[in-house]
Amino acid sequence: GAGVSQSPSNKVTEKGKDVELRCDPISGHTALYWYRQSLGQGLEFLIYFQGNSAPDKSGLPSDRFSAERTGGSVSTLTIQRTQQEDSAVYLCASSLPPHRGREGTEAFFGQGTRLTVV
Amino acid sequence: AQRVTQPEKLLSVFKGAPVELKCNYSYSGSPELFWYVQYSRQRLQLLLRHISRESIKGFTADLNKGETSFHLKKPFAQEEDSAMYYCALRGAMGGKLIFGQGTELSVKP
């Protein structure tokens, strides 16, 4: 595809249910990022994948949150036992691998998944 | 630890006025710094990066290592500049991209 694609665009779920959010990065982009965007909180980093390296999970807010990246391409963010405070827009981005010699690597964002927990 | 701080949640100016969106960072090293912008109903997109030293849509940003700042400036704001602006940092060795809380710029006619 031409850009980063996220699905679904909107998701309404009941408190306590599990949800899966999907991200299709730009072909050839080995770096993939997940963020949570909520009012007053800005863009909160969740997790970062780069190639075959161990992901940087330092931003995951609790053990209810997990993410996978299969085959170095598609990624799934899973939230278990959703809570109302999980309601937010979840953004995915991808980029070429950032490294010394390629400074300023741009991250390309998807349109986001708006999650509402009722 | 990497941290980006944007002290203003909302900045409101009149068309033609100068605008400065503040960004301060915390990083022990030489980071890469960026400004991203999100217009209404559009995706977040790159506005400019410090490494390029470029002017995009009339905006410039200078990295001040002494003050650990990367403020975004434009001498004459336009209504179409109204958007959410995010400052971002990536460590010198690559890796995750950390964003600030964002500043909403509102340019009034």
Side-chain angles (χ1 to χ4, degrees):
Chain A
V4 178
S5 178
Q6 292 187 245
S7 61
S9 298
N10 284 282
K11 176 72 176 178
V12 180
T13 190
E14 292 182 353
K15 178 182 171 182
K17 295 283 179 70
D18 297 352
V19 295
E20 284 189 354
L21 312 179
R22 177 187 168 105
C23 173
D24 281 274
I26 292 171
S27 178
H29 281 190
T30 58
L32 188 146
Y33 319 71
W34 280 100
Y35 296 91
R36 180 166 65 178
Q37 184 180 37
S38 49
L39 279 175
Q41 300 299 318
L43 273 169
E44 179 186 4
F45 167 76
L46 297 177
I47 189 168
Y48 167 67
F49 295 90
Q50 169 43 36
N52 295 321
S53 301
D56 181 343
K57 304 179 181 180
S58 59
L60 295 178
S62 76
D63 58 9
R64 295 187 296 106
F65 288 71
S66 63
E68 289 185 344
R69 190 172 186 196
T70 54
S73 181
V74 171
S75 178
T76 303
L77 177 69
T78 302
I79 308 174
Q80 296 178 310
R81 304 182 302 281
T82 51
Q83 303 295 312
Q84 287 185 329
E85 61 262 27
D86 299 334
S87 296
V89 175
Y90 289 82
L91 292 175
C92 174
S94 73
S95 75
L96 292 171
H99 63 70
R100 196 182 297 279
R102 190 192 290 143
E103 284 82 1
T105 302
E106 178 178 359
F108 294 84
F109 281 80
Q111 81 281 15
T113 294
R114 181 175 296 279
L115 175 66
T116 304
V117 182
V118 297
Chain B
Q2 298 172 217
R3 178 175 287 178
V4 177
T5 303
Q6 293 178 250
E8 304 133 331
K9 284 190 176 181
L10 173 64
L11 190 60
S12 185
V13 301
F14 286 102
K15 176 183 172 181
V19 63
E20 180 179 67
L21 288 78
K22 291 184 168 49
C23 171
N24 288 89
Y25 67 89
S26 174
Y27 181 73
S28 56
S30 295
E32 298 176 45
L33 284 152
F34 307 82
W35 277 98
Y36 279 77
V37 60
Q38 189 170 29
Y39 300 103
S40 180
R41 297 188 184 84
Q42 293 188 27
R43 301 181 183 209
L44 196 63
Q45 59 186 285
L46 178 68
L47 179 62
L48 55 79
R49 65 198 98 188
H50 92 271
I51 197 74
S52 302
R53 295 181 161 274
E54 58 201 342
S55 174
I56 303 293
K57 299 183 179 182
F59 284 97
T60 59
D62 290 319
L63 176 59
N64 186 322
K65 292 186 178 181
E67 295 183 359
T68 58
S69 68
F70 189 56
H71 303 326
L72 183 68
K73 300 177 184 179
K74 184 169 183 176
F76 307 105
Q78 303 300 313
E79 290 180 67
E80 55 265 31
D81 296 329
S82 295
M84 196 74 182
Y85 291 80
Y86 292 93
C87 183
L89 174 154
R90 177 186 288 131
M93 296 305 293
K96 63 190 177 188
L97 195 57
I98 298 298
F99 287 81
Q101 301 92 324
T103 297
E104 182 182 354
L105 176 64
S106 174
V107 182
K108 300 184 186 309

mmCIF file of all heavy atoms in Angstrom, chain A residues 4 33 35 37 40 42-43 45 48 56 58 95 98 100 103-107 109-111, chain B residues 9 32 34 36 38 43-44 46 49 51 86 90 92-101:
data_model
loop_
_atom_site.group_PDB
_atom_site.id
_atom_site.type_symbol
_atom_site.label_atom_id
_atom_site.label_comp_id
_atom_site.label_asym_id
_atom_site.label_seq_id
_atom_site.Cartn_x
_atom_site.Cartn_y
_atom_site.Cartn_z
ATOM 1 N N VAL A 4 0.887 3.787 5.734
ATOM 2 C CA VAL A 4 0.623 2.930 6.883
ATOM 3 C C VAL A 4 -0.893 2.782 7.035
ATOM 4 O O VAL A 4 -1.621 3.790 7.030
ATOM 5 C CB VAL A 4 1.234 3.533 8.165
ATOM 6 C CG1 VAL A 4 0.907 2.662 9.368
ATOM 7 C CG2 VAL A 4 2.742 3.702 7.997
ATOM 8 N N TYR A 33 6.386 1.594 15.190
ATOM 9 C CA TYR A 33 6.133 2.235 16.481
ATOM 10 C C TYR A 33 4.627 2.228 16.778
ATOM 11 O O TYR A 33 3.830 2.421 15.864
ATOM 12 C CB TYR A 33 6.568 3.709 16.450
ATOM 13 C CG TYR A 33 7.868 4.045 15.751
ATOM 14 C CD1 TYR A 33 7.984 3.986 14.368
ATOM 15 C CD2 TYR A 33 8.974 4.488 16.483
ATOM 16 C CE1 TYR A 33 9.168 4.329 13.732
ATOM 17 C CE2 TYR A 33 10.153 4.848 15.849
ATOM 18 C CZ TYR A 33 10.242 4.761 14.472
ATOM 19 O OH TYR A 33 11.417 5.113 13.840
ATOM 20 N N TYR A 35 1.831 4.227 19.406
ATOM 21 C CA TYR A 35 1.620 5.331 20.332
ATOM 22 C C TYR A 35 0.151 5.371 20.741
ATOM 23 O O TYR A 35 -0.726 4.890 20.029
ATOM 24 C CB TYR A 35 1.969 6.679 19.681
ATOM 25 C CG TYR A 35 3.419 6.820 19.301
ATOM 26 C CD1 TYR A 35 3.853 6.439 18.033
ATOM 27 C CD2 TYR A 35 4.356 7.338 20.195
ATOM 28 C CE1 TYR A 35 5.187 6.549 17.679
ATOM 29 C CE2 TYR A 35 5.691 7.463 19.843
ATOM 30 C CZ TYR A 35 6.097 7.065 18.591
ATOM 31 O OH TYR A 35 7.411 7.181 18.236
ATOM 32 N N GLN A 37 -2.686 8.281 21.785
ATOM 33 C CA GLN A 37 -2.940 9.719 21.750
ATOM 34 C C GLN A 37 -4.238 10.000 22.486
ATOM 35 O O GLN A 37 -5.298 9.528 22.115
ATOM 36 C CB GLN A 37 -3.053 10.192 20.297
ATOM 37 C CG GLN A 37 -3.213 11.685 20.132
ATOM 38 C CD GLN A 37 -3.309 12.081 18.661
ATOM 39 O OE1 GLN A 37 -3.904 11.391 17.842
ATOM 40 N NE2 GLN A 37 -2.686 13.199 18.298
ATOM 41 N N GLY A 40 -4.792 15.940 26.293
ATOM 42 C CA GLY A 40 -3.994 16.378 27.426
ATOM 43 C C GLY A 40 -2.774 15.540 27.704
ATOM 44 O O GLY A 40 -1.944 15.919 28.532
ATOM 45 N N GLY A 42 -0.888 14.087 25.025
ATOM 46 C CA GLY A 42 0.003 14.066 23.873
ATOM 47 C C GLY A 42 0.125 12.689 23.270
ATOM 48 O O GLY A 42 -0.801 11.881 23.327
ATOM 49 N N LEU A 43 1.277 12.419 22.703
ATOM 50 C CA LEU A 43 1.560 11.132 22.078
ATOM 51 C C LEU A 43 2.408 10.305 23.035
ATOM 52 O O LEU A 43 3.584 10.577 23.226
ATOM 53 C CB LEU A 43 2.313 11.327 20.768
ATOM 54 C CG LEU A 43 1.489 11.553 19.539
ATOM 55 C CD1 LEU A 43 2.365 12.001 18.389
ATOM 56 C CD2 LEU A 43 0.762 10.281 19.149
ATOM 57 N N PHE A 45 4.399 7.105 23.957
ATOM 58 C CA PHE A 45 5.093 5.981 23.354
ATOM 59 C C PHE A 45 4.690 4.681 24.031
ATOM 60 O O PHE A 45 4.639 4.607 25.262
ATOM 61 C CB PHE A 45 6.605 6.180 23.471
ATOM 62 C CG PHE A 45 7.412 4.952 23.163
ATOM 63 C CD1 PHE A 45 7.592 4.538 21.854
ATOM 64 C CD2 PHE A 45 7.966 4.202 24.181
ATOM 65 C CE1 PHE A 45 8.329 3.400 21.565
ATOM 66 C CE2 PHE A 45 8.709 3.073 23.912
ATOM 67 C CZ PHE A 45 8.888 2.668 22.606
ATOM 68 N N TYR A 48 8.280 -0.200 20.403
ATOM 69 C CA TYR A 48 9.052 0.030 19.187
ATOM 70 C C TYR A 48 9.675 -1.276 18.747
ATOM 71 O O TYR A 48 10.326 -1.968 19.533
ATOM 72 C CB TYR A 48 10.126 1.075 19.472
ATOM 73 C CG TYR A 48 11.208 1.219 18.426
ATOM 74 C CD1 TYR A 48 10.912 1.721 17.168
ATOM 75 C CD2 TYR A 48 12.531 0.882 18.709
ATOM 76 C CE1 TYR A 48 11.909 1.889 16.213
ATOM 77 C CE2 TYR A 48 13.530 1.034 17.758
ATOM 78 C CZ TYR A 48 13.220 1.545 16.509
ATOM 79 O OH TYR A 48 14.205 1.707 15.566
ATOM 80 N N ASP A 56 11.456 -2.658 22.041
ATOM 81 C CA ASP A 56 11.525 -1.760 23.189
ATOM 82 C C ASP A 56 10.105 -1.620 23.728
ATOM 83 O O ASP A 56 9.288 -0.905 23.152
ATOM 84 C CB ASP A 56 12.088 -0.402 22.754
ATOM 85 C CG ASP A 56 12.208 0.584 23.906
ATOM 86 O OD1 ASP A 56 11.575 0.373 24.966
ATOM 87 O OD2 ASP A 56 12.909 1.593 23.746
ATOM 88 N N SER A 58 9.291 -0.416 26.694
ATOM 89 C CA SER A 58 9.361 0.413 27.895
ATOM 90 C C SER A 58 8.147 1.320 28.095
ATOM 91 O O SER A 58 7.924 1.815 29.195
ATOM 92 C CB SER A 58 10.636 1.257 27.871
ATOM 93 O OG SER A 58 10.667 2.094 26.728
ATOM 94 N N SER A 95 9.038 3.325 9.707
ATOM 95 C CA SER A 95 10.120 4.078 9.073
ATOM 96 C C SER A 95 11.199 3.116 8.604
ATOM 97 O O SER A 95 11.231 1.944 9.009
ATOM 98 C CB SER A 95 10.719 5.093 10.051
ATOM 99 O OG SER A 95 11.535 4.461 11.010
ATOM 100 N N PRO A 98 16.297 3.664 11.585
ATOM 101 C CA PRO A 98 17.086 4.841 11.925
ATOM 102 C C PRO A 98 18.449 4.417 12.447
ATOM 103 O O PRO A 98 18.557 3.528 13.262
ATOM 104 C CB PRO A 98 16.260 5.518 13.012
ATOM 105 C CG PRO A 98 15.471 4.429 13.630
ATOM 106 C CD PRO A 98 15.250 3.392 12.572
ATOM 107 N N ARG A 100 22.952 5.755 12.667
ATOM 108 C CA ARG A 100 23.982 6.754 12.371
ATOM 109 C C ARG A 100 24.309 6.691 10.883
ATOM 110 O O ARG A 100 24.527 5.628 10.331
ATOM 111 C CB ARG A 100 25.248 6.465 13.186
ATOM 112 C CG ARG A 100 26.210 7.626 13.235
ATOM 113 C CD ARG A 100 27.446 7.240 14.019
ATOM 114 N NE ARG A 100 27.138 6.929 15.403
ATOM 115 C CZ ARG A 100 26.962 7.823 16.351
ATOM 116 N NH1 ARG A 100 27.027 9.106 16.061
ATOM 117 N NH2 ARG A 100 26.718 7.451 17.587
ATOM 118 N N GLU A 103 20.602 10.096 9.607
ATOM 119 C CA GLU A 103 19.942 10.914 10.626
ATOM 120 C C GLU A 103 18.688 11.561 10.054
ATOM 121 O O GLU A 103 18.615 11.837 8.865
ATOM 122 C CB GLU A 103 20.897 12.010 11.129
ATOM 123 C CG GLU A 103 21.972 11.519 12.081
ATOM 124 C CD GLU A 103 23.168 10.901 11.352
ATOM 125 O OE1 GLU A 103 23.135 10.886 10.109
ATOM 126 O OE2 GLU A 103 24.089 10.431 12.016
ATOM 127 N N GLY A 104 17.752 11.789 10.923
ATOM 128 C CA GLY A 104 16.538 12.474 10.509
ATOM 129 C C GLY A 104 15.550 11.577 9.801
ATOM 130 O O GLY A 104 14.718 12.062 9.036
ATOM 131 N N THR A 105 15.639 10.268 10.023
ATOM 132 C CA THR A 105 14.712 9.340 9.379
ATOM 133 C C THR A 105 13.275 9.674 9.765
ATOM 134 O O THR A 105 12.935 9.759 10.943
ATOM 135 C CB THR A 105 15.031 7.902 9.805
ATOM 136 O OG1 THR A 105 16.382 7.616 9.452
ATOM 137 C CG2 THR A 105 14.108 6.920 9.120
ATOM 138 N N GLU A 106 12.431 9.828 8.762
ATOM 139 C CA GLU A 106 11.044 10.225 8.988
ATOM 140 C C GLU A 106 10.179 9.021 9.331
ATOM 141 O O GLU A 106 10.288 7.967 8.715
ATOM 142 C CB GLU A 106 10.489 10.893 7.731
ATOM 143 C CG GLU A 106 9.029 11.304 7.814
ATOM 144 C CD GLU A 106 8.552 12.009 6.556
ATOM 145 O OE1 GLU A 106 9.369 12.200 5.636
ATOM 146 O OE2 GLU A 106 7.352 12.359 6.492
ATOM 147 N N ALA A 107 9.310 9.203 10.301
ATOM 148 C CA ALA A 107 8.308 8.191 10.631
ATOM 149 C C ALA A 107 6.998 8.563 9.950
ATOM 150 O O ALA A 107 6.581 9.726 9.993
ATOM 151 C CB ALA A 107 8.116 8.100 12.141
ATOM 152 N N PHE A 109 2.928 7.951 9.665
ATOM 153 C CA PHE A 109 1.865 7.528 10.566
ATOM 154 C C PHE A 109 0.634 7.016 9.827
ATOM 155 O O PHE A 109 0.305 7.478 8.728
ATOM 156 C CB PHE A 109 1.458 8.703 11.471
ATOM 157 C CG PHE A 109 2.397 8.926 12.610
ATOM 158 C CD1 PHE A 109 3.588 9.614 12.422
ATOM 159 C CD2 PHE A 109 2.103 8.430 13.867
ATOM 160 C CE1 PHE A 109 4.473 9.801 13.476
ATOM 161 C CE2 PHE A 109 2.973 8.605 14.933
ATOM 162 C CZ PHE A 109 4.156 9.293 14.729
ATOM 163 N N GLY A 110 -0.048 6.104 10.496
ATOM 164 C CA GLY A 110 -1.359 5.669 10.045
ATOM 165 C C GLY A 110 -2.421 6.653 10.511
ATOM 166 O O GLY A 110 -2.123 7.634 11.196
ATOM 167 N N GLN A 111 -3.654 6.355 10.146
ATOM 168 C CA GLN A 111 -4.751 7.266 10.486
ATOM 169 C C GLN A 111 -5.264 7.024 11.904
ATOM 170 O O GLN A 111 -6.039 7.800 12.431
ATOM 171 C CB GLN A 111 -5.905 7.121 9.473
ATOM 172 C CG GLN A 111 -6.835 5.937 9.712
ATOM 173 C CD GLN A 111 -6.269 4.617 9.221
ATOM 174 O OE1 GLN A 111 -5.070 4.469 8.930
ATOM 175 N NE2 GLN A 111 -7.126 3.613 9.116
ATOM 176 N N LYS B 9 -0.061 24.230 26.042
ATOM 177 C CA LYS B 9 -1.053 23.345 25.442
ATOM 178 C C LYS B 9 -1.748 24.032 24.281
ATOM 179 O O LYS B 9 -2.100 23.407 23.297
ATOM 180 C CB LYS B 9 -2.093 22.928 26.488
ATOM 181 C CG LYS B 9 -1.603 21.895 27.461
ATOM 182 C CD LYS B 9 -2.750 21.364 28.307
ATOM 183 C CE LYS B 9 -2.265 20.256 29.210
ATOM 184 N NZ LYS B 9 -3.358 19.696 30.043
ATOM 185 N N GLU B 32 18.457 13.500 17.724
ATOM 186 C CA GLU B 32 17.804 13.990 16.508
ATOM 187 C C GLU B 32 16.501 14.624 16.961
ATOM 188 O O GLU B 32 15.791 14.063 17.790
ATOM 189 C CB GLU B 32 17.481 12.836 15.562
ATOM 190 C CG GLU B 32 18.678 12.074 15.060
ATOM 191 C CD GLU B 32 18.255 10.888 14.210
ATOM 192 O OE1 GLU B 32 17.365 11.054 13.362
ATOM 193 O OE2 GLU B 32 18.797 9.798 14.417
ATOM 194 N N PHE B 34 12.799 16.716 15.844
ATOM 195 C CA PHE B 34 11.810 16.850 14.776
ATOM 196 C C PHE B 34 10.624 17.687 15.269
ATOM 197 O O PHE B 34 10.347 17.750 16.463
ATOM 198 C CB PHE B 34 11.237 15.481 14.373
ATOM 199 C CG PHE B 34 12.253 14.439 14.020
ATOM 200 C CD1 PHE B 34 12.895 13.712 15.015
ATOM 201 C CD2 PHE B 34 12.555 14.166 12.697
ATOM 202 C CE1 PHE B 34 13.831 12.732 14.695
ATOM 203 C CE2 PHE B 34 13.481 13.186 12.366
ATOM 204 C CZ PHE B 34 14.120 12.469 13.368
ATOM 205 N N TYR B 36 6.571 17.537 14.207
ATOM 206 C CA TYR B 36 5.496 16.905 13.451
ATOM 207 C C TYR B 36 4.244 17.763 13.607
ATOM 208 O O TYR B 36 4.053 18.439 14.627
ATOM 209 C CB TYR B 36 5.214 15.497 13.971
ATOM 210 C CG TYR B 36 6.180 14.449 13.453
ATOM 211 C CD1 TYR B 36 7.463 14.342 13.981
ATOM 212 C CD2 TYR B 36 5.819 13.577 12.428
ATOM 213 C CE1 TYR B 36 8.359 13.397 13.493
ATOM 214 C CE2 TYR B 36 6.696 12.618 11.950
ATOM 215 C CZ TYR B 36 7.962 12.540 12.491
ATOM 216 O OH TYR B 36 8.842 11.598 12.002
ATOM 217 N N GLN B 38 -0.164 17.907 12.918
ATOM 218 C CA GLN B 38 -1.407 17.197 12.612
ATOM 219 C C GLN B 38 -2.499 18.221 12.352
ATOM 220 O O GLN B 38 -2.972 18.893 13.281
ATOM 221 C CB GLN B 38 -1.808 16.268 13.747
ATOM 222 C CG GLN B 38 -2.961 15.338 13.395
ATOM 223 C CD GLN B 38 -3.170 14.260 14.449
ATOM 224 O OE1 GLN B 38 -2.882 14.445 15.622
ATOM 225 N NE2 GLN B 38 -3.678 13.103 14.020
ATOM 226 N N ARG B 43 -3.563 12.884 9.010
ATOM 227 C CA ARG B 43 -2.565 12.107 9.743
ATOM 228 C C ARG B 43 -1.456 13.004 10.267
ATOM 229 O O ARG B 43 -1.185 14.080 9.720
ATOM 230 C CB ARG B 43 -1.921 11.067 8.816
ATOM 231 C CG ARG B 43 -2.870 10.104 8.223
ATOM 232 C CD ARG B 43 -2.177 9.094 7.338
ATOM 233 N NE ARG B 43 -3.153 8.220 6.720
ATOM 234 C CZ ARG B 43 -2.924 6.968 6.368
ATOM 235 N NH1 ARG B 43 -1.718 6.435 6.564
ATOM 236 N NH2 ARG B 43 -3.862 6.228 5.821
ATOM 237 N N LEU B 44 -0.822 12.525 11.304
ATOM 238 C CA LEU B 44 0.376 13.180 11.798
ATOM 239 C C LEU B 44 1.460 13.082 10.718
ATOM 240 O O LEU B 44 1.657 12.024 10.121
ATOM 241 C CB LEU B 44 0.823 12.470 13.062
ATOM 242 C CG LEU B 44 1.815 13.170 13.968
ATOM 243 C CD1 LEU B 44 1.220 14.448 14.530
ATOM 244 C CD2 LEU B 44 2.207 12.248 15.113
ATOM 245 N N LEU B 46 5.481 14.723 9.217
ATOM 246 C CA LEU B 46 6.700 15.452 9.524
ATOM 247 C C LEU B 46 6.624 16.871 8.971
ATOM 248 O O LEU B 46 6.232 17.080 7.829
ATOM 249 C CB LEU B 46 7.900 14.730 8.914
ATOM 250 C CG LEU B 46 9.255 15.394 9.103
ATOM 251 C CD1 LEU B 46 9.668 15.365 10.571
ATOM 252 C CD2 LEU B 46 10.316 14.701 8.242
ATOM 253 N N ARG B 49 12.963 18.682 10.346
ATOM 254 C CA ARG B 49 13.922 17.971 11.196
ATOM 255 C C ARG B 49 15.170 18.832 11.350
ATOM 256 O O ARG B 49 15.537 19.557 10.418
ATOM 257 C CB ARG B 49 14.266 16.610 10.598
ATOM 258 C CG ARG B 49 15.002 16.677 9.276
ATOM 259 C CD ARG B 49 14.941 15.371 8.506
ATOM 260 N NE ARG B 49 13.908 15.416 7.497
ATOM 261 C CZ ARG B 49 13.515 14.371 6.777
ATOM 262 N NH1 ARG B 49 14.030 13.179 7.010
ATOM 263 N NH2 ARG B 49 12.591 14.505 5.853
ATOM 264 N N ILE B 51 18.274 18.222 11.429
ATOM 265 C CA ILE B 51 19.452 17.857 10.645
ATOM 266 C C ILE B 51 19.426 18.548 9.282
ATOM 267 O O ILE B 51 20.460 18.782 8.674
ATOM 268 C CB ILE B 51 19.535 16.321 10.491
ATOM 269 C CG1 ILE B 51 20.934 15.893 10.067
ATOM 270 C CG2 ILE B 51 18.472 15.806 9.545
ATOM 271 C CD1 ILE B 51 21.942 15.988 11.179
ATOM 272 N N TYR B 86 3.689 18.795 17.354
ATOM 273 C CA TYR B 86 4.397 17.940 18.299
ATOM 274 C C TYR B 86 5.898 18.010 18.046
ATOM 275 O O TYR B 86 6.355 17.855 16.911
ATOM 276 C CB TYR B 86 3.967 16.473 18.149
ATOM 277 C CG TYR B 86 2.556 16.174 18.574
ATOM 278 C CD1 TYR B 86 1.510 16.187 17.654
ATOM 279 C CD2 TYR B 86 2.268 15.852 19.897
ATOM 280 C CE1 TYR B 86 0.213 15.898 18.029
ATOM 281 C CE2 TYR B 86 0.968 15.560 20.287
ATOM 282 C CZ TYR B 86 -0.042 15.591 19.351
ATOM 283 O OH TYR B 86 -1.330 15.307 19.734
ATOM 284 N N ARG B 90 14.703 11.641 18.966
ATOM 285 C CA ARG B 90 15.220 10.291 18.832
ATOM 286 C C ARG B 90 16.683 10.320 19.264
ATOM 287 O O ARG B 90 17.423 11.236 18.927
ATOM 288 C CB ARG B 90 15.116 9.784 17.394
ATOM 289 C CG ARG B 90 15.717 8.378 17.192
ATOM 290 C CD ARG B 90 15.729 7.982 15.737
ATOM 291 N NE ARG B 90 14.417 7.683 15.226
ATOM 292 C CZ ARG B 90 13.913 8.192 14.087
ATOM 293 N NH1 ARG B 90 14.622 9.034 13.378
ATOM 294 N NH2 ARG B 90 12.719 7.846 13.674
ATOM 295 N N ALA B 92 20.711 9.454 19.547
ATOM 296 C CA ALA B 92 21.716 9.474 18.486
ATOM 297 C C ALA B 92 21.961 8.095 17.891
ATOM 298 O O ALA B 92 22.391 7.991 16.747
ATOM 299 C CB ALA B 92 23.023 10.055 19.025
ATOM 300 N N MET B 93 21.701 7.049 18.637
ATOM 301 C CA MET B 93 21.940 5.697 18.135
ATOM 302 C C MET B 93 20.684 5.089 17.520
ATOM 303 O O MET B 93 20.606 3.896 17.300
ATOM 304 C CB MET B 93 22.438 4.809 19.286
ATOM 305 C CG MET B 93 23.771 5.256 19.850
ATOM 306 S SD MET B 93 25.049 5.374 18.587
ATOM 307 C CE MET B 93 25.242 3.658 18.142
ATOM 308 N N GLY B 94 19.724 5.929 17.218
ATOM 309 C CA GLY B 94 18.481 5.419 16.647
ATOM 310 C C GLY B 94 17.546 4.962 17.725
ATOM 311 O O GLY B 94 17.749 5.217 18.895
ATOM 312 N N GLY B 95 16.503 4.253 17.341
ATOM 313 C CA GLY B 95 15.579 3.749 18.340
ATOM 314 C C GLY B 95 14.279 4.515 18.358
ATOM 315 O O GLY B 95 13.900 5.173 17.400
ATOM 316 N N LYS B 96 13.622 4.429 19.504
ATOM 317 C CA LYS B 96 12.268 4.971 19.598
ATOM 318 C C LYS B 96 12.253 6.478 19.429
ATOM 319 O O LYS B 96 13.233 7.174 19.687
ATOM 320 C CB LYS B 96 11.656 4.584 20.942
ATOM 321 C CG LYS B 96 12.398 5.161 22.131
ATOM 322 C CD LYS B 96 11.894 4.552 23.422
ATOM 323 C CE LYS B 96 12.684 5.072 24.618
ATOM 324 N NZ LYS B 96 12.348 4.350 25.863
ATOM 325 N N LEU B 97 11.089 6.949 19.011
ATOM 326 C CA LEU B 97 10.847 8.365 18.797
ATOM 327 C C LEU B 97 9.926 8.823 19.925
ATOM 328 O O LEU B 97 8.829 8.283 20.097
ATOM 329 C CB LEU B 97 10.165 8.537 17.436
ATOM 330 C CG LEU B 97 10.078 9.882 16.768
ATOM 331 C CD1 LEU B 97 11.444 10.491 16.583
ATOM 332 C CD2 LEU B 97 9.367 9.747 15.433
ATOM 333 N N ILE B 98 10.383 9.785 20.705
ATOM 334 C CA ILE B 98 9.611 10.257 21.855
ATOM 335 C C ILE B 98 9.018 11.621 21.538
ATOM 336 O O ILE B 98 9.729 12.515 21.057
ATOM 337 C CB ILE B 98 10.513 10.359 23.105
ATOM 338 C CG1 ILE B 98 11.068 8.987 23.463
ATOM 339 C CG2 ILE B 98 9.740 10.946 24.281
ATOM 340 C CD1 ILE B 98 10.022 7.977 23.826
ATOM 341 N N PHE B 99 7.736 11.787 21.835
ATOM 342 C CA PHE B 99 7.024 13.021 21.537
ATOM 343 C C PHE B 99 6.702 13.805 22.803
ATOM 344 O O PHE B 99 6.567 13.240 23.892
ATOM 345 C CB PHE B 99 5.716 12.714 20.809
ATOM 346 C CG PHE B 99 5.891 12.281 19.384
ATOM 347 C CD1 PHE B 99 6.215 10.983 19.072
ATOM 348 C CD2 PHE B 99 5.746 13.207 18.345
ATOM 349 C CE1 PHE B 99 6.396 10.588 17.744
ATOM 350 C CE2 PHE B 99 5.916 12.825 17.024
ATOM 351 C CZ PHE B 99 6.240 11.509 16.731
ATOM 352 N N GLY B 100 6.537 15.112 22.606
ATOM 353 C CA GLY B 100 6.028 15.959 23.663
ATOM 354 C C GLY B 100 4.516 15.891 23.716
ATOM 355 O O GLY B 100 3.883 15.139 22.975
ATOM 356 N N GLN B 101 3.947 16.707 24.597
ATOM 357 C CA GLN B 101 2.506 16.665 24.830
ATOM 358 C C GLN B 101 1.714 17.366 23.739
ATOM 359 O O GLN B 101 0.505 17.219 23.672
ATOM 360 C CB GLN B 101 2.174 17.314 26.187
ATOM 361 C CG GLN B 101 2.850 16.653 27.363
ATOM 362 C CD GLN B 101 4.182 17.295 27.702
ATOM 363 O OE1 GLN B 101 4.930 17.737 26.822
ATOM 364 N NE2 GLN B 101 4.506 17.358 28.982
#
